[in-house]
Amino acid sequence: MRIVHLGLGAFSRSHQAWYTAHADDASEWGIAAYAGRSRDLADRLTAQDGLYTLIERGPEYDRFEVIGSVVRAHAGDDLESLLRDLAAPDTAVVTLTITETGYVSTPDGSPDLDHFGMARDLEVLRALGSDAAVEPTARPVTALGRLVLGLELRRRAGGPALALVSCDNLPDNGGRLRRGIEGLAAAAFPALPDWLADHVSFVSTSVDRITPRVEARDVAEVAAATGRLDEAPVIAEPFSDWVLSGEFPSGRPAWETAGATFVADLEPYEFRKLWMLNGAHSLLACAGLLRGHVSVAEAIADPECRSAVERLWDEDARNLPAGLGLDHYRDALLERFSNARIEHRLEQIAIDSLAKLRVRVAPVAERELGAGRTAEGCATVIAAWMAAIESGFCRADAAEREIADALASPNPREGLLGLLSAKLAADPVFAAKVECEFARIAAPAEVTAK
């Protein structure tokens, strides 16, 4: 065992564990995976010696594969084992899929010491001092609190360097993890920050693989197809993507032999995914719901929606550097979107559309206008969002109150555009383009939210 994973779940098993199992040197690496709060998945995997079936759900048929890279599965409350694994000299890599909320951080990525769990963890860690033995009652509750304690024990034991790899779907996820760990470490253990600087690297990643929920019928399908009863299968689309940027001071699996990409600058790849994959999802959600569609596959099969996606991608591509394989990436996205057997519901994608469009579409529109172009593709997305809101869709939003105020204003679409981007709202030509697109999109609308 040389990898510790925090956040055992469906995605980590369809992604990082899959890449590790497919690496040329897979036999030299193994994963000790720790669940979150629940012990159910860990118990089911333990009963199967860590083995599970990955169901690769293609557009026409399923493919079944047994994944064996998880050598131990632990409940989230098995702190004693976690601390032992983090301090073990053979551990070279720690990966995380703890979701955005698991970082318990402020907007700048530093630990949120006003949060009850983080504040309590800081008290627990400070009570250990620089030399105190770790008592069984010293039980941090946050992922970062447990990780900092494990790193402090590794420092005290004279352990070698290791890499921390965030695999959560966050921009600059490695930087965010660094700020959280370094901030909590500085507040808890005076000697730890200097050791971290010399012994710990923070790797940023861009991850992508749709991993739907497993239903009872999927368990039955595995049994019928393979003759094995698997209580912990996972489903994934055929496509997968993993781009990493950072150092691995004590080594790593040869993930590149499984298709991973290692780069010096991750930002262009983050933008590629954010603008092209996520931006198109938001467009399909807003326009598709207006046209009576339920899923991404239905919406992309609609020529009107497909044309709008292509126009948006043209603008995205003009603002991305060469060398990202954009033609292949676009083809892969169309194939993924068209896979009706991976149901991606538009209603779910449409949640919190305002915050999503601020990072998925507005930056591209601003760049297009700055280059003297019309940003018509982006205008279509924004107009579809406005039309969806006025038709009763896209109302499930954390900014519900601000949206309601904009709708109640004398010019609702002007108010909505201002919420999205002050820079775009200040451009009268672009605002007029959005109004024109809104009139075109909203005029034939036959569907309203129930």
Side-chain angles (χ1 to χ4, degrees):
M1 189 286 300
R2 300 185 65 193
I3 302 173
V4 172
H5 180 77
L6 303 183
L8 174 66
F11 181 75
S12 68
R13 293 186 294 134
S14 76
H15 196 268
Q16 298 96 288
W18 181 89
Y19 276 94
T20 302
H22 282 255
D24 283 354
D25 57 354
S27 62
E28 301 174 21
W29 296 85
I31 302 170
Y34 289 81
R37 296 177 181 177
S38 171
R39 66 177 307 118
D40 176 61
L41 175 57
D43 288 345
R44 283 183 280 135
L45 282 171
T46 298
Q48 300 177 179
D49 296 324
L51 301 173
Y52 61 91
T53 305
L54 186 140
I55 308 169
E56 187 180 280
R57 183 142 291 168
E60 297 179 0
Y61 59 87
D62 290 341
R63 178 175 170 269
F64 303 89
E65 178 186 6
V66 175
I67 305 297
S69 54
V70 176
V71 296
R72 284 193 274 115
H74 297 265
D77 60 1
D78 188 359
L79 185 60
E80 182 179 359
S81 293
L82 174 61
L83 296 178
R84 184 172 58 248
D85 284 340
L86 290 173
D90 286 344
T91 298
V93 178
V94 178
T95 56
L96 298 90
T97 51
I98 58 176
T99 76
E100 182 174 6
T101 58
Y103 290 79
V104 193
S105 60
T106 61
D108 68 0
S110 58
D112 184 0
L113 299 179
D114 291 329
H115 182 278
F116 172 77
M118 188 64 77
R120 179 189 176 280
D121 280 3
L122 181 56
E123 289 183 9
V124 169
L125 297 176
R126 279 177 169 168
L128 296 174
S130 58
D131 299 310
V134 177
E135 300 294 335
T137 55
R139 303 186 66 82
V141 296
T142 68
L144 265 60
R146 293 174 175 182
L147 190 49
V148 165
L149 179 54
L151 292 170
E152 169 64 7
L153 296 180
R154 189 178 183 90
R155 181 193 70 81
R156 295 182 189 182
L162 82 169
L164 302 185
V165 186
S166 172
C167 300
D168 285 297
N169 193 22
L170 302 168
D172 186 29
N173 49 21
R176 184 164 185 161
L177 178 60
R178 175 192 291 274
R179 293 186 288 276
I181 292 294
E182 290 181 345
L184 185 57
F189 300 113
L192 186 55
D194 287 344
W195 184 87
L196 292 175
D198 294 332
H199 293 81
V200 176
S201 69
F202 294 85
V203 179
S204 291
T205 69
S206 174
V207 298
D208 192 6
R209 194 173 203 182
I210 296 173
T211 306
R213 182 193 302 271
V214 171
E215 306 289 350
R217 64 178 179 271
D218 298 309
V219 176
E221 182 184 2
V222 171
T226 67
R228 300 186 305 270
L229 177 61
D230 187 339
E231 297 287 357
V234 63
I235 302 171
E237 63 174 331
F239 177 90
S240 66
D241 189 52
W242 197 10
V243 187
L244 304 93
S245 180
E247 301 298 322
F248 291 82
S250 291
R252 59 168 176 79
W255 285 319
E256 66 274 18
T257 62
T261 303
F262 290 84
V263 299
D265 182 9
L266 186 66
E267 186 175 72
Y269 294 88
E270 291 181 316
F271 285 158
R272 182 184 70 172
K273 180 189 175 188
L274 191 64
W275 297 347
M276 301 187 76
L277 168 63
N278 300 133
H281 269 163
S282 288
L283 168 56
L284 292 172
C286 297
L289 288 169
L290 282 170
R291 296 175 66 81
H293 303 308
V294 173
S295 68
V296 168
E298 289 181 12
I300 199 63
D302 182 328
E304 179 71 20
C305 293
R306 166 74 178 269
S307 175
V309 166
E310 295 282 8
R311 293 196 303 274
L312 174 65
W313 283 347
D314 288 342
E315 294 178 3
D316 294 335
R318 284 196 290 266
N319 293 280
L320 290 168
L324 298 183
L326 296 184
D327 289 342
H328 173 74
Y329 191 71
R330 288 173 69 151
D331 290 343
L333 287 178
L334 286 175
E335 184 176 349
R336 298 171 69 191
F337 290 173
S338 301
N339 186 353
R341 300 184 70 238
I342 297 283
E343 187 179 41
H344 210 166
R345 298 183 68 83
L346 302 179
E347 193 173 55
Q348 179 183 14
I349 297 170
I351 294 171
D352 291 331
S353 282
L354 175 58
K356 292 174 179 177
L357 291 179
R358 281 174 175 162
V359 295
R360 299 177 178 185
V361 176
V364 178
E366 292 169 2
R367 286 167 168 80
E368 283 288 283
L369 295 175
R373 295 186 286 265
T374 63
E376 183 175 345
C378 293
T380 299
V381 185
I382 295 168
W385 168 63
M386 293 176 176
I389 286 178
E390 294 197 14
S391 295
F393 300 107
C394 300
R395 294 291 184 91
D397 202 298
E400 180 180 4
R401 179 174 297 179
E402 292 88 343
I403 291 172
D405 289 343
L407 291 174
S409 67
N411 190 329
R413 288 180 288 286
E414 181 181 285
L416 289 173
L417 187 57
L419 285 178
L420 182 64
S421 165
K423 185 180 291 187
L424 295 179
D427 188 317
V429 175
F430 182 75
K433 172 62 68 176
V434 171
E435 284 284 358
C436 182
E437 283 297 289
F438 177 89
R440 182 183 67 82
I441 292 168
E446 302 176 354
V447 180
T448 55
K450 296 180 181 179

